[in-house]
């Protein structure tokens, strides 16, 4: 059984059809990349899996370990191991990053029947992970994402991912906004999380990211549908040729 | 005055008879009170905060009750480390509970008679029956802050008290004052404080006010401040409890180049009512005033913000900003927000803004996507909304005290 299985998923937003029958199976240990032109439904797919309101699933299923993900509330999905690194992380004034991280870590620990994390242990853990991602220590004292630069927001998303250790991580354009060095650092962060128990769905516009995080499968999403799938060479081909051939076929 | 504008209230002859003979200042104020009464629902400034409920309660002067015995400071009164603590019980200075003052430049004296004329109606009531109070005077940079603790308590009968505070900051002097208002549960009590402030030329006063009265209590506070040239008056007010609370703050700019910040926050549940009413009287050029008030409302509570800003014709280069933001936690509460800008000068920068709304669904989703359940997410966001208001509190120790007060409010709300 695949870790995450998307079966014939059809989704509308406000009566407008966005996803037109997507099927993907992510096995544990795999990294899948999705590429596709702007506005083809990549973020819609991520949001539907993560459980954002406002999307109407008209057909199809999403299963995590065979469990019906779409029947679960967003917070339940996250505790079950679904993680979405947002394309546009929101700024939340007044909520410190550290209070937020601690609440999120404890929500997960509680769901696993573990005691709450000790304050010292928490700081040590976060500090260590921040260091790996090249983030300053005092970042977590600031309000969540408020005034963070584009790249800092993306690093903060990856920090959350490494702290929450999800089973399925969806990275929606996590590479956009990162400088050349940050791209390497963040990719290494993702690579250290790669494990036989975990799967990744990486949405990107640039093949360069996939030089660092080498995918097992690459899919092309056009018009709310997977129009081609292949290995990492498919990304290279897209980089060279663009989407023209898929657009005319769609 | 029309009869309908008057309110029948308990502060007449029966109330006076329970007290010893009055001095001339109090007698004069009682005459004014007899003529003008307390504001009824037709008085514009009191339209959103009706006093009918208060006027129906047969208050007696707290000083005349023989069954009130407060021997200690309640355990939940915050400790302001390093501050000179001044304690009043039912508006009367308590030397036995207060710190001795031995701080250079700082003088704290017990006040016995209402020696300032403040014309607001509740200030007249205060002058008529002034219970006691303190006068604080600062010269030079006063290193130690002052913490005024007001404790209200009624005995078998509802009780009222009327403290008076005066804060005088000499030219170029600097002072920080924290004022916290608390009370004991039981019969309702009514705290009616009046504070007169003067900040001398190039002086700096930081004033922080916490109103966490008992849930049955009334608290109607009037503050008048004179701010001289190049002076700074920086105030933050937090309203976390009381059945009916009003914090009215009137600022007169009496010199050029003064800067005033009046900020505040309130958090209301049940049927609590909280009113911030401010008046910025820009009568001098080149002054700035900035106001940010934030409220969280739940249950059937009611929040009021009335901000009047008057810029005289000669008060050029005035910068006057005001902002009110309210966060609804349910559909039951009511918010009344009334900005009133009267601008007669032509070269000014003045603006007001107001927003009300429920929690941002994008924020809730972000937290949910990290496994945080809806209840915990809402708690985090309310705390964040209030914590954000505290950004304007520059004094780190006071910031921590107020932050802990907000956490306490959230915990009481969660367990209610
Ligand atoms: N709430 C909404 N209301 C109306 N249209 C929407 C809504 N959300 C998404 N859409 C539309 O759905 C389409 C797909 O959007 P989506 O964000 O999934 O694209 P994307 O593939 O992630 O694009 P990009 O590469 O630019 O991030 C777009 O045309 C978008 O305008
Ligand atoms: Mg997108």
């Amino acid at each position: 059984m695949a870790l995450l299985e998307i079966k014939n998923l059809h989704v509308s937003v406000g009566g407008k059809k966005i996803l037109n029958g997507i099927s993907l199976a992510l096995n544990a240990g795999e990294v899948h990349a999705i590429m596709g032109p702007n506005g083809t439904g990549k973020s819609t797919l991520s949001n539907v899996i993560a459980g954002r309101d406002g999307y109407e699933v008209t057909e199809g299923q999403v299963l995590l370990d065979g469990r019906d993900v779409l029947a679960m509330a967003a917070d339940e999905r996250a505790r079950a191991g679904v993680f979405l690194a947002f394309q546009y992380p929101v700024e939340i004034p007044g909520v410190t990053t550290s209070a937020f991280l601690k609440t999120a870590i404890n929500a997960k620990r509680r769901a696993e029947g573990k005691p709450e994390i000790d304050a010292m242990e928490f700081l040590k853990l976060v500090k260590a992970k921040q260091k790996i991602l090249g983030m300053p220590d005092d970042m977590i004292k600031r309000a969540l994402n408020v005034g963070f630069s584009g790249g800092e927001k993306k690093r903060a998303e990856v920090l959350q991912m490494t702290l929450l250790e999800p089973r399925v991580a969806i990275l929606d354009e996590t590479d956009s906004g990162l400088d050349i060095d940050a791209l390497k650092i963040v990719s290494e962060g993702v690579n250290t999380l790669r494990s036989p128990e975990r799967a990744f769905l990486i949405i990107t516009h640039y093949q360069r990211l996939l030089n660092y995080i080498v995918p097992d499968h690459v899919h092309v999403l056009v018009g709310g549908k997977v129009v081609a799938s292949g290995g990492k060479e498919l990304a290279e081909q897209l980089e060279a040729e663009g989407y023209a051939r898929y657009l005319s076929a769609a | 005055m029309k009869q309908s504008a008057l309110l029948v209230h308990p502060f007449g002859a029966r109330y006076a008879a329970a007290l010893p003979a009055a001095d001339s200042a109090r007698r004069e104020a009682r005459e004014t009170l007899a003529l003008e009464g307390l504001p009824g629902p037709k008085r514009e400034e009191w339209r959103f905060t009706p006093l009918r409920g208060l006027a129906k309660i047969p208050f007696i002067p707290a000083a005349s009750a023989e069954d009130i015995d407060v021997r200690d400071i309640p355990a939940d009164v915050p400790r302001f480390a390093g501050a000179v603590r001044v304690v009043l019980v039912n508006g009367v200075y308590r030397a036995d509970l207060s710190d001795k003052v031995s701080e250079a430049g700082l003088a704290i004296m017990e006040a016995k008679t209402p020696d300032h004329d403040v014309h607001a109606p509740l200030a007249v009531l205060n002058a008529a029956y002034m219970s006691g109070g303190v006068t604080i005077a600062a010269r030079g940079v006063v290193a130690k802050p002052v913490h005024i603790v007001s404790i209200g308590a009624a005995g078998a009968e509802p009780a009222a008290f009327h403290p008076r505070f005066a804060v005088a900051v000499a030219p170029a002097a600097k002072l920080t004052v924290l004022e916290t208002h608390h009370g004991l549960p039981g019969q309702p009590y009514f705290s009616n404080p009046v504070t007169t402030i003067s900040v001398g030329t190039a002086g700096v006063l930081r004033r922080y006010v916490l109103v966490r009265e008992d849930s049955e209590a009334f608290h109607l506070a009037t503050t008048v401040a004179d701010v001289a040239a190049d002076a700074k008056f920086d105030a933050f007010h937090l309203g976390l409890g009381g059945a009916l609370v009003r914090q009215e703050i009137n600022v007169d700019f009496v010199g050029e180049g003064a800067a005033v910040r009046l900020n505040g926050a309130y958090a209301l549940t049940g049927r609590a009512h909280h009113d911030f009413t401010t008046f910025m009287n820009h009568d001098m050029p080149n002054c700035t005033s900035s106001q940010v008030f934030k409220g969280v409302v739940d249950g059937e509570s009611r929040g009021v913000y009335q901000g009047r800003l008057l810029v005289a014709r000669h008060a050029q280069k005035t910068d006057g900003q005001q902002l009110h933001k309210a966060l609804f936690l349910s559909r039951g509460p009511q918010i009344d927000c009334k900005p009133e800008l009267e601008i007669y000068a032509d070269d000014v920068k003045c603006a007001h803004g107001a927003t009300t709304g429920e929690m941002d669904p994008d924020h809730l989703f972000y937290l949910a996507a990290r496994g945080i359940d809806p209840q915990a997410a809402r708690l985090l966001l309310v705390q964040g909304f209030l914590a954000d208001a505290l950004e304007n509190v520059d004094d780190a120790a006071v910031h921590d005290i107020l932050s802990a007060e907000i956490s306490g409010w959230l915990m009481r709300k969660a367990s209610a």
Side-chain angles (χ1 to χ4, degrees), chain B residues 27-374:
Chain B
R27 274 205 309 274
E28 214 175 287
R30 285 178 200 178
E31 280 162 25
T32 311
L33 179 67
L35 279 174
E36 294 179 0
L38 289 185
K42 299 252 163 82
R43 273 285 283 274
E44 185 56 28
E45 313 92 280
W46 289 87
R47 192 153 65 92
F48 301 126
T49 299
L51 297 182
R52 281 185 306 267
L54 170 101
K56 277 192 201 127
I57 297 176
F59 288 107
I60 60 165
S64 73
E66 275 157 17
D67 56 348
I68 302 172
D69 184 20
V70 177
R71 292 186 189 183
D72 308 295
I73 300 166
D76 65 346
V77 171
R79 284 256 166 201
F80 188 0
V84 178
R85 197 162 56 177
V86 177
V87 181
L88 291 90
V89 173
N90 286 340
V92 179
Y93 174 71
R94 287 279 296 264
D96 60 320
L97 300 177
S98 302
D99 293 338
K100 306 262 172 306
V101 184
S102 58
E103 179 69 9
L106 181 66
I108 300 179
M109 288 148 293
E110 191 174 354
K112 306 248 173 180
T113 188
D115 57 354
H116 289 271
D117 239 1
V118 184
H119 292 289
L122 270 296
V124 172
L125 175 65
N126 173 290
Y129 299 110
M130 179 186 158
S131 311
V134 288
T135 297
I136 300 168
R139 297 198 165 275
V141 176
V142 180
K144 273 196 176 186
V146 176
H147 180 189
I148 298 173
V149 179
S150 166
I151 300 159
E157 288 177 75
F161 56 95
H162 314 268
R164 198 160 264 245
F165 303 98
V167 180
V169 176
K174 259 191 187 171
L175 180 69
T176 297
V177 178
L178 169 67
E179 218 180 285
T180 65
H181 297 262
H182 316 270
L184 304 182
Q187 285 292 323
Y189 63 86
F190 169 30
S191 172
N192 176 34
V194 168
T195 306
T196 56
I197 290 171
S198 72
V199 189
T201 303
V204 178
L205 175 65
R206 285 174 171 178
R207 181 190 189 218
Y208 303 107
V209 181
L210 165 69
V211 177
R212 175 168 48 78
E213 300 283 16
D214 179 66
S215 59
E216 301 295 317
F218 295 81
H219 176 107
L220 302 174
T222 310
T223 297
V224 291
D226 278 0
V227 185
D230 301 317
K232 282 196 170 60
F233 175 37
D234 187 9
F236 188 89
H237 316 78
L238 183 60
L240 295 183
L244 182 76
V245 176
R246 169 149 154 149
Q247 303 194 55
E248 179 178 329
I249 306 121
N250 303 303
V251 176
D252 281 317
F253 289 84
V254 297
E256 284 193 44
V260 173
R261 287 204 309 176
L262 283 191
N263 297 316
Y266 56 90
L268 311 176
T269 53
R271 302 186 59 83
H273 181 119
H274 189 285
D275 174 336
F276 274 120
T277 293
T278 67
F279 176 37
M280 289 285 183
N281 188 10
H282 279 277
D283 201 27
M284 283 285 164
N286 296 309
C287 293
T288 64
S289 69
S290 142
Q291 305 181 53
V292 180
F293 288 93
K294 292 191 180 180
V296 172
V297 286
D298 200 359
E300 316 240 305
S301 63
R302 189 166 179 191
V304 179
Y305 170 70
Q306 308 187 89
R308 188 170 162 225
L309 186 94
L310 174 63
V311 182
R313 199 209 296 254
H314 51 270
Q316 299 294 2
K317 306 277 180 202
T318 290
D319 185 338
Q321 309 293 327
Q322 51 175 245
L323 178 65
H324 179 257
K325 273 188 171 182
L327 176 64
F328 281 79
L329 301 189
S330 58
R331 297 278 162 89
Q334 185 181 336
I335 290 285
D336 295 292
C337 174
K338 195 179 97 181
E340 216 181 329
L341 275 56
E342 286 172 65
I343 300 167
Y344 299 102
D346 49 20
D347 185 14
V348 301
K349 225 168 66 192
C350 293
H352 69 87
T355 63
T356 55
E358 294 175 21
M359 250 169 233
D360 187 333
D362 288 344
H363 291 179
L364 286 167
F365 177 60
Y366 191 87
L367 300 180
R370 299 300 178 252
I372 301 171
D373 68 69

Side-chain angles (χ1 to χ4, degrees), chain A residues 42-43 87 172-173:
Chain A
K42 301 180 298 297
S43 293
Q87 183 174 1
D172 191 355
E173 295 195 28

Side-chain angles (χ1 to χ4, degrees), chain A residues 52 75 79 84 91 94 157 160, chain B residues 362-363 366 368 370-371 384:
Chain A
R52 187 181 217 124
D75 57 307
R79 291 193 299 273
L84 168 60
E91 302 192 352
E157 293 290 293
Q160 291 168 35
Chain B
D362 288 344
H363 291 179
Y366 191 87
R370 299 300 178 252

Side-chain angles (χ1 to χ4, degrees), chain A residues 47 50-53 74-75 78-79 82-86 89-95 99-100 103-104 107 110 144-145 157 160 164, chain B residues 294 325 360-377 379-389 391:
Chain A
N47 285 328
R52 187 181 217 124
D53 281 344
D75 57 307
R79 291 193 299 273
V82 174
F83 181 92
L84 168 60
F86 287 84
V90 294
E91 302 192 352
I92 308 189
V95 176
F100 159 73
T103 309
R110 216 172 307 122
L144 185 56
N145 291 325
E157 293 290 293
Q160 291 168 35
L164 294 172
Chain B
K294 292 191 180 180
K325 273 188 171 182
D360 187 333
D362 288 344
H363 291 179
L364 286 167
F365 177 60
Y366 191 87
L367 300 180
R370 299 300 178 252
I372 301 171
D373 68 69
Q375 202 187 338
L379 184 72
L380 206 54
L381 292 179
V382 175
Q383 189 152 30
F385 181 85
L386 293 169
D388 195 40
E391 290 285 294

